Amino acid sequence: MKQNDYFIEESERVIQERTADGQLYILYTDITDFHLVNYIYGNEIGDSLLQEMNHFLDRRPNILLCRRLFADFFVGLYFLENEQEISEIISRLDGELQEFLTDLQSRYPACRLKAACGLCLIEHDNIAQAIDNANLARKISKNQYSFKTVVYDHSMKDQITAVHENELEIYNALHEKRFCFYLQPKVDLTNGMIIGAEALARRIGDDGTVIPPDKFMDLMEAKGSVIELDQIICRQVCEFLKDRMDRGLSVVCISVNLSRLHIRNPESADVFHQIVAEYGIPPELLEFELTETILLEEFAGAKHLIDELRAYGHHVSIDDFGSGYAGINVWQELNFDCLKLDRKFLSDDELLKKRNRALVPNIINIAHRLHVQVLCEGAETEEQCLYLLRLGCTVVQGFYFSKPLPPEELCQVCERQDGKYPLPALLCSDKSEHQSGQAKEADAGGKAQSKIKNYVIVILCCALFLGVCITGVMTVNRNRTQKEFTSMIIETLNAYTAGQRENTLTEIDGVVNTLQSFAVLVLENDEPGFINTFLSALNKVSPKIQYTYYTYEMYQELITSGEARPEDREILERLKLGETVVTDIIYSERLGDIYCVGVGVPVMKDGVFIGTVQGIINAEALISTELFDPGLGEICNVFLTDGDSRILPIREPNGRGVGENLLELLDIYGVKKEVIEELHDAYDAGDSQARSVRAGRFDGSPYYLSMTGLRYNNWYLVVCLKADAATMHLRYIVNNMMWSIAGLIAAVALVSAAMILFWVRVQSRISLEQQRYLLLEHFSDTVLFDYDCRHDTIRFTSNASKLLKIRELTQNHFLNGLDRAFIYAGDQEEVQRVLSGQTGGEYGEIRVRVMRPDTEEYFWCLVQYQNLYKSSVIDSIIGKITDIDERMPHE
């Protein structure tokens, strides 16, 4: 048995048990868009909502029985006592039901919880028929979007039948593509140009008649078929634009309206952009309009759709602004391109007119500050267009220029009228009023400025040419000076390295001579006591050198015990041949963890080797440096290498670079290839003459390397120079010369400029006063002001006190005391920007609120101003202040 049958049986039982007198109704209700709760939050959450709804209905005192038929549809047996009014009961039920759903709304923020209810009186105890009729009333309530309980009457069947017939017609029209679009142009009031158009959907009837949107749009919104309609219109607009572009005809941006249903689909932007891309239409030619009411329903979804469309390059408009109640977050969180004011802002109702005059300038001002275009719909008269133009809304759409037309007809109008509508005289005069004034002001004030600018430009060009020439000469001389300094440093470094080579060789030769003399003494007296005494005296005289004597037998004992190193055996063989031996640098722990060099002289008796006298030299003594010329720099390193450029250890065992290849290290440090090749050639030549090269610039200072060969063990002495002092001297010489020449050029330029500017100032003083007079004459119809930028002083004409609540006609320190002035606090920043010369133009206008002297209320004024210059610097600002409300009826 169906739920409907169960409910009927239970209702019959309740009716039989009823004792009170009254009328019985069937209540039929459902939750609007309940399917979205299941879709977004899940079936379990949806079931919980249905249980709460059922519990709520059960608790109503007038509902005797309540059951859920299926899904979110509920049916109830509603009892009304004879003395109760059905309207009061319905009003109470609607209020309680909507309050209940509003309390639940916070749990389901993505859905709009509303209820549609229908009531039907049970007649002739026919409960089943009453259920069907109550359901019919519920559908009407839902279609009306009023969400008020509807009581069934017999005329509703005809209404539902008509709705079904209309639905069928719409379905057939969609299936047969019997929809088209008309275009209503968007016109620029400043020149009459057609800058765009809005595509408005039309349905074509079976007989070919054109049906306006108010006959089908609401029903399509309710049934969801408007989604398909929007896509059809977008595709037709793209076909129209594509055809004109292929034929080389002019096109303008066309806007397409989007239904609120699109914001529920996160891929809507992708769908529409794909249609546009399919026809190869530039995205900036397709604009999409969303009504303000959409923002009230699902703000997050609307923001996502707007951001996606703009990311694809399409423009987005907020349509019918003012028809809903969108909050400040529309400005804070949404990024849109155009704001379309609703036609209600042009209402002829006197009360609305007064309010609109306070609201519209603020809305336009906010939009302009956020760089959003403002368009007003419904402009039907010349007076309305003039009103909007004066407030800064320069784009309109309405019957004054054109009603919606078929695309081909609008194109013909555009071609006949060269793409624009003729503007009436009243609009042209208002538009050109301040432009003509600006032309006069520019003509009066620009001549003196242009003279000054021309002279200054000539002087700067001459100074620039002279500077370029001098800079070129200085660059050539600087390079030559650099080469001379480099040659001087290399010559000095070569001499220094040669001296270091002689010091090293002198150290070794001195030890060799001493050992040779000692060898002669040993031949004369080889007694150990004599030898030890002589060695002790010799070591005491030369503490840096350790002298010893080894007999041939002592060498043999070392070899036999295995303590001798392979190199010791090689040295012994050389000594046997009578050769003086200078060893490589070795590390000695016995002598105090130092690197040292051994020098051995053989002692030969009757041609037979009997021993050797030996001197151990601390390797540091071989590279001890002399004082280098401090005027060139400092010696930052001296070391020895072998013939393969391997750095020989002298200092600590793990010293930086010890044992590494010098040329490879230089390559790693970024030294140029040609410098490394030059050092490599020096190693190959084995020349004992010093050779120096410039290694490059490191840490901001130039470095030089110098090397020379030693005659012992294929050793090379390498010296590294940091020539920072020489570079500083070079830079000082060059910079002094350049600054002297630059100062000379600047002095010539300044003297010339001062003479010319003095002459121009004398000539332009009269011109400036004439300019001021012409401006005052032009602005003589209202309150005038003259602001002195240098002294922060403003002067008003004597009639200012009748319009503005000012303290005095001349006010000093005006900007500093702006917070105490008669200007509205929210507009003081804009006034300060203008009077500080930060507007970026020579003339302009702003709208500000100032206080009346009699009522102390703020009202809107139009401030037009002109900047006056002295020596290319703003000297003063002159302008006029006009009451916008008084100006319009006067003109």
Side-chain angles (χ1 to χ4, degrees), residues 807-851:
R807 300 188 302 273
E808 50 191 13
L809 296 180
T810 300
Q811 298 184 26
N812 298 319
H813 310 294
F814 183 69
L815 288 184
N816 290 335
L818 201 58
D819 56 337
R820 300 184 299 275
F822 56 92
I823 303 169
Y824 183 66
D827 298 329
Q828 290 178 4
E829 181 180 352
E830 185 74 8
V831 173
Q832 188 167 19
R833 191 174 68 89
V834 170
L835 297 184
S836 301
Q838 301 174 10
T839 57
E842 297 181 1
Y843 45 79
E845 64 181 33
I846 59 173
R847 293 164 178 79
V848 298
R849 285 158 289 188
V850 297
M851 183 178 290

Side-chain angles (χ1 to χ4, degrees), residues 630-659:
L632 297 179
E634 62 175 344
I635 300 298
C636 57
N637 207 345
V638 179
F639 51 87
L640 298 178
T641 71
D642 60 15
D644 295 327
S645 79
R646 186 174 64 89
I647 300 175
L648 301 177
I650 294 177
R651 295 181 175 85
E652 67 277 2
N654 298 320
R656 184 178 181 184
V658 172

Side-chain angles (χ1 to χ4, degrees), residues 144-161:
Q144 291 176 348
Y145 294 100
S146 62
F147 304 109
K148 302 292 185 182
T149 300
V150 174
V151 180
Y152 172 81
D153 64 56
H154 296 290
S155 65
M156 290 182 178
K157 284 191 175 181
D158 296 334
Q159 184 180 352
I160 291 297
T161 301

Side-chain angles (χ1 to χ4, degrees), residues 727-777:
T727 302
M728 185 172 59
H729 292 314
L730 173 63
R731 188 178 298 131
Y732 179 78
I733 293 172
V734 173
N735 288 347
N736 277 353
M737 189 181 303
M738 293 185 68
W739 279 113
S740 299
I741 295 176
L744 178 62
I745 295 173
V748 172
L750 288 175
V751 171
S752 301
M755 294 176 62
I756 294 174
L757 292 177
F758 176 76
W759 178 77
V760 171
R761 183 176 181 181
V762 173
Q763 295 295 321
S764 64
R765 181 174 299 173
I766 299 177
S767 175
L768 186 63
E769 295 303 323
Q770 290 176 345
Q771 180 186 170
R772 188 183 304 277
Y773 173 78
L774 290 174
L775 289 171
L776 290 173
E777 183 182 35

Side-chain angles (χ1 to χ4, degrees), residues 4-40:
N4 200 28
D5 297 334
Y6 280 123
F7 177 77
I8 293 174
E9 287 185 3
E10 290 184 89
S11 297
E12 291 174 346
R13 177 179 55 78
V14 172
I15 292 173
Q16 291 175 359
E17 297 175 355
R18 178 176 55 87
T19 58
D21 293 331
Q23 294 176 315
L24 290 171
Y25 289 80
I26 292 296
L27 172 68
Y28 205 111
T29 183
D30 77 322
I31 301 175
T32 302
D33 294 338
F34 172 75
H35 64 283
L36 291 178
V37 177
N38 284 336
Y39 177 75
I40 297 174

Side-chain angles (χ1 to χ4, degrees), residues 22-162:
Q23 294 176 315
L24 290 171
Y25 289 80
I26 292 296
L27 172 68
Y28 205 111
T29 183
D30 77 322
I31 301 175
T32 302
D33 294 338
F34 172 75
H35 64 283
L36 291 178
V37 177
N38 284 336
Y39 177 75
I40 297 174
Y41 299 101
N43 294 334
E44 185 176 349
I45 300 298
D47 292 341
S48 175
L49 174 59
L50 293 177
Q51 291 175 6
E52 292 191 63
M53 180 69 172
N54 192 54
H55 183 62
F56 168 79
L57 294 174
D58 275 338
R59 288 183 298 156
R60 300 304 96 196
N62 290 75
I63 298 179
L64 305 179
L65 177 66
C66 178
R67 292 290 181 269
R68 182 166 71 93
L69 296 182
F70 60 92
D72 61 315
F73 295 92
F74 295 85
V75 64
L77 184 63
Y78 204 92
F79 175 70
L80 182 66
E81 295 181 359
N82 290 331
E83 64 273 11
Q84 290 181 308
E85 291 290 337
I86 184 66
S87 59
E88 296 179 2
I89 298 299
I90 290 175
S91 176
R92 185 191 311 161
L93 174 64
D94 288 340
E96 293 175 350
L97 183 56
Q98 297 308 329
E99 182 181 358
F100 164 72
L101 293 176
T102 301
D103 292 339
L104 294 178
Q105 183 68 57
S106 60
R107 304 184 195 173
Y108 318 97
C111 303
R112 186 184 182 193
L113 298 182
K114 297 291 182 181
C117 301
L119 270 179
C120 179
L121 179 66
I122 300 177
E123 297 177 333
H124 311 298
D125 295 331
N126 192 343
I127 300 177
Q129 184 63 45
I131 292 175
D132 292 339
N133 293 342
N135 186 28
L136 187 60
R138 176 196 63 82
K139 292 180 180 179
I140 293 176
S141 173
K142 193 168 188 177
N143 290 336
Q144 291 176 348
Y145 294 100
S146 62
F147 304 109
K148 302 292 185 182
T149 300
V150 174
V151 180
Y152 172 81
D153 64 56
H154 296 290
S155 65
M156 290 182 178
K157 284 191 175 181
D158 296 334
Q159 184 180 352
I160 291 297
T161 301

Side-chain angles (χ1 to χ4, degrees), residues 349-593:
D349 181 84
E350 290 301 323
L351 180 59
L352 283 179
K353 267 187 176 181
K354 184 177 181 181
R355 294 182 177 180
N356 287 339
R357 286 182 178 179
L359 290 174
V360 175
N362 285 283
I363 295 174
I364 295 174
N365 189 31
I366 293 173
H368 285 171
R369 292 192 179 190
L370 296 177
H371 306 290
V372 173
Q373 186 187 54
V374 181
L375 180 150
C376 190
E377 298 178 299
E380 298 180 355
T381 65
E382 183 177 333
E383 290 73 18
Q384 290 175 343
C385 293
L386 181 61
Y387 166 72
L388 293 171
L389 180 62
R390 287 169 175 169
L391 294 183
C393 178
T394 59
V395 183
V396 298
Q397 180 181 339
F399 283 9
Y400 178 72
F401 290 104
S402 174
K403 65 180 181 179
L405 298 173
E408 297 76 10
E409 186 175 339
L410 180 61
C411 291
Q412 293 174 3
V413 173
C414 291
E415 292 170 1
R416 288 197 306 266
Q417 300 178 172
D418 196 22
K420 62 181 180 180
Y421 288 95
L423 294 175
L426 191 58
L427 281 177
C428 292
S429 62
D430 185 82
K431 176 177 70 70
S432 61
E433 175 188 337
H434 72 269
Q435 291 181 349
S436 62
Q438 292 168 357
K440 292 179 181 179
E441 296 158 11
D443 182 66
K447 292 181 180 179
Q449 297 177 31
S450 62
K451 288 182 180 179
I452 297 174
K453 292 179 181 177
N454 290 337
Y455 285 119
V456 171
I457 290 174
V458 171
I459 294 173
L460 291 178
C461 289
C462 294
L464 180 62
F465 176 75
L466 183 60
V468 169
C469 295
I470 296 298
T471 302
V473 174
M474 285 302 303
T475 302
V476 174
N477 289 336
R478 185 181 185 281
N479 293 336
R480 291 179 179 176
T481 306
Q482 176 71 48
K483 290 181 180 179
E484 291 298 324
F485 262 76
T486 301
S487 299
M488 178 188 69
I489 293 173
I490 288 178
E491 291 176 1
T492 304
L493 185 59
N494 283 339
Y496 177 82
T497 305
Q500 286 293 111
R501 176 181 181 276
E502 293 304 320
N503 289 343
T504 302
L505 293 177
T506 298
E507 186 73 22
I508 297 175
D509 291 345
V511 174
V512 170
N513 293 334
T514 301
L515 293 175
Q516 288 176 346
S517 301
F518 185 36
V520 173
L521 294 176
V522 171
L523 285 176
E524 295 177 357
N525 186 356
D526 58 356
E527 291 294 328
F530 171 74
I531 294 174
N532 291 334
T533 301
F534 190 83
L535 287 175
S536 298
L538 193 58
N539 288 330
K540 186 178 296 184
V541 174
S542 303
K544 293 184 179 180
I545 303 174
Q546 183 72 32
Y547 291 98
T548 57
Y549 174 71
Y550 282 90
T551 64
Y552 177 70
E553 289 76 10
M554 295 171 67
Y555 276 112
Q556 289 297 329
E557 289 179 5
L558 290 174
I559 294 173
T560 303
S561 64
E563 296 180 11
R565 299 172 302 170
E567 52 266 30
D568 291 337
R569 297 183 181 185
E570 180 183 349
I571 292 172
L572 180 61
E573 295 300 324
R574 292 173 61 187
L575 290 172
K576 286 181 179 181
L577 297 177
E579 182 181 348
T580 298
V581 178
V582 177
T583 70
D584 285 330
I585 297 174
I586 59 175
Y587 179 71
S588 174
E589 295 179 354
R590 182 172 59 85
L591 296 179
D593 297 330

